[in-house]
Each structure stands twice: as C-alpha cells, then as structure tokens.
Amino acid sequence: MDTSPSAGGHSAKPNSGIVKDTRRLGDAVVVDLAGDVDALAARELTAAVAAALEHRPRTIVVDLSKVDFLTSPGLAALVESHQMAGQDTRLRIVATGSATLRRLTITGLTDELAVFPTLEEALTA
C-alpha cells in the first residue's frame, strides 16, 4: 500500500517522534507536530518538509497546535523550511498560544512567515 503524501496516506507513524502525521489535503501537505521541538526534533521537521517538497505541493502547512515547547533550533527549522519551499510552494504555519505563537511573535518571525491560528485558515488563505 502506498502511504506517501501524494497518495493521500500517512508517511509518518503516529508517536514516531515530533512529526505525528504527514497527510495530503487537496493540493496541500500538512505536517502535524506534537511535543517539544528541540534540536533533534528540528532536524525531523526539516526532513519532513523536504520529503513533502518532493511531491511539489502548492502549499505545505506545518501545524504546531500540539507543540508544547518551541526552541531556537525549532524556530531555525521553520525558517529553513520556508527557504526550502522557495517561490513554488507556500509554507504556512499554524500556531497558537505561548508555546508557539508567542515565540514566533517575539522573534519577529510572524513578519517573515505566514502564521495562522487554525489549520482551516491556513488551508483556505
């Protein structure tokens, strides 16, 4: 069975690390994260975005709504993911609360990254 994002399946096993799920929704790929985004998890995030980019989606949404702690390497991974997406793919971030949105705001990254309060808004913007 093909479980790649382009087949509409899941490419990450639940509870396999910080990336809890990667799925295709229409012409977007959603990368769901949960837990603490530390240095190790940041590498997992950029690897998941790189894998999603291989399928050339119009949009990649990184959903941080279940993230408990976002470290500096996690913020750097979001910037790197934005750079990897380039001009052809829109990278959107779902972030709420002090664990994620506050960190993105105080670092000024909300001015550089497309940040949304919900997955629905990130997909329809």
Side-chain angles (χ1 to χ4, degrees), residues 1-11 21-24:
M1 179 171 122
D2 186 356
T3 59
S4 68
S6 62
H10 305 284
S11 63
D21 190 26
T22 303
R23 65 190 186 279
R24 188 177 265 294

Short mmCIF file of all heavy atoms in Angstrom, two decimals, residues 1-11 21-24:
data_model
loop_
_atom_site.label_atom_id
_atom_site.label_comp_id
_atom_site.label_asym_id
_atom_site.label_seq_id
_atom_site.Cartn_x
_atom_site.Cartn_y
_atom_site.Cartn_z
N MET A 1 0.84 -1.18 0.00
CA MET A 1 0.00 0.00 0.00
C MET A 1 0.88 1.24 0.00
O MET A 1 1.80 1.36 0.79
CB MET A 1 -0.88 -0.03 1.25
CG MET A 1 -1.78 1.17 1.36
SD MET A 1 -2.96 0.92 2.69
CE MET A 1 -2.57 2.33 3.68
N ASP A 2 0.61 2.20 -0.89
CA ASP A 2 1.36 3.44 -0.99
C ASP A 2 0.88 4.40 0.08
O ASP A 2 -0.28 4.74 0.14
CB ASP A 2 1.16 4.04 -2.38
CG ASP A 2 2.03 5.26 -2.62
OD1 ASP A 2 2.72 5.70 -1.67
OD2 ASP A 2 1.99 5.78 -3.73
N THR A 3 1.80 4.83 0.96
CA THR A 3 1.42 5.74 2.03
C THR A 3 2.10 7.09 1.90
O THR A 3 2.24 7.82 2.87
CB THR A 3 1.77 5.13 3.41
OG1 THR A 3 3.17 4.89 3.44
CG2 THR A 3 0.99 3.87 3.69
N SER A 4 2.52 7.44 0.71
CA SER A 4 3.15 8.73 0.51
C SER A 4 2.11 9.83 0.57
O SER A 4 0.92 9.59 0.36
CB SER A 4 3.85 8.77 -0.85
OG SER A 4 2.89 8.73 -1.89
N PRO A 5 2.53 11.08 0.86
CA PRO A 5 1.58 12.17 0.90
C PRO A 5 0.82 12.33 -0.41
O PRO A 5 -0.34 12.69 -0.42
CB PRO A 5 2.44 13.40 1.20
CG PRO A 5 3.64 12.87 1.89
CD PRO A 5 3.85 11.50 1.29
N SER A 6 1.47 12.02 -1.54
CA SER A 6 0.79 12.19 -2.82
C SER A 6 -0.31 11.16 -3.01
O SER A 6 -1.21 11.34 -3.82
CB SER A 6 1.79 12.10 -3.97
OG SER A 6 2.39 10.82 -3.99
N ALA A 7 -0.25 10.05 -2.28
CA ALA A 7 -1.28 9.02 -2.39
C ALA A 7 -2.41 9.27 -1.41
O ALA A 7 -3.36 8.51 -1.35
CB ALA A 7 -0.67 7.65 -2.13
N GLY A 8 -2.29 10.35 -0.61
CA GLY A 8 -3.34 10.67 0.34
C GLY A 8 -3.20 9.91 1.64
O GLY A 8 -4.06 9.96 2.49
N GLY A 9 -2.10 9.19 1.81
CA GLY A 9 -1.91 8.40 3.02
C GLY A 9 -1.03 9.11 4.01
O GLY A 9 -0.77 10.30 3.92
N HIS A 10 -0.55 8.36 4.98
CA HIS A 10 0.29 8.90 6.03
C HIS A 10 1.71 8.43 5.80
O HIS A 10 1.95 7.28 5.51
CB HIS A 10 -0.21 8.41 7.40
CG HIS A 10 -1.64 8.74 7.63
ND1 HIS A 10 -2.05 10.01 7.94
CD2 HIS A 10 -2.77 7.99 7.57
CE1 HIS A 10 -3.37 10.01 8.08
NE2 HIS A 10 -3.81 8.80 7.85
N SER A 11 2.67 9.35 5.95
CA SER A 11 4.05 8.96 5.75
C SER A 11 4.82 8.87 7.06
O SER A 11 5.94 8.43 7.08
CB SER A 11 4.75 9.93 4.80
OG SER A 11 4.78 11.21 5.37
N ASP A 21 2.18 13.15 12.00
CA ASP A 21 1.44 12.75 10.80
C ASP A 21 1.83 13.68 9.67
O ASP A 21 2.12 14.85 9.88
CB ASP A 21 -0.07 12.86 11.07
CG ASP A 21 -0.92 12.24 9.98
OD1 ASP A 21 -0.44 11.33 9.29
OD2 ASP A 21 -2.08 12.66 9.82
N THR A 22 1.87 13.14 8.48
CA THR A 22 2.03 13.93 7.26
C THR A 22 0.97 13.44 6.30
O THR A 22 0.90 12.24 6.01
CB THR A 22 3.43 13.74 6.65
OG1 THR A 22 4.41 14.10 7.62
CG2 THR A 22 3.61 14.60 5.42
N ARG A 23 0.11 14.36 5.86
CA ARG A 23 -1.00 13.95 5.01
C ARG A 23 -1.29 14.99 3.95
O ARG A 23 -0.97 16.16 4.11
CB ARG A 23 -2.24 13.70 5.85
CG ARG A 23 -2.80 14.93 6.53
CD ARG A 23 -3.90 14.58 7.54
NE ARG A 23 -4.54 15.73 8.09
CZ ARG A 23 -4.09 16.49 9.07
NH1 ARG A 23 -2.93 16.22 9.61
NH2 ARG A 23 -4.77 17.52 9.52
N ARG A 24 -1.87 14.53 2.87
CA ARG A 24 -2.27 15.43 1.79
C ARG A 24 -3.74 15.78 1.96
O ARG A 24 -4.57 14.91 2.20
CB ARG A 24 -2.05 14.77 0.43
CG ARG A 24 -2.27 15.78 -0.70
CD ARG A 24 -1.99 15.20 -2.06
NE ARG A 24 -0.69 15.40 -2.63
CZ ARG A 24 -0.15 16.56 -3.00
NH1 ARG A 24 -0.77 17.68 -2.77
NH2 ARG A 24 1.01 16.61 -3.58
#
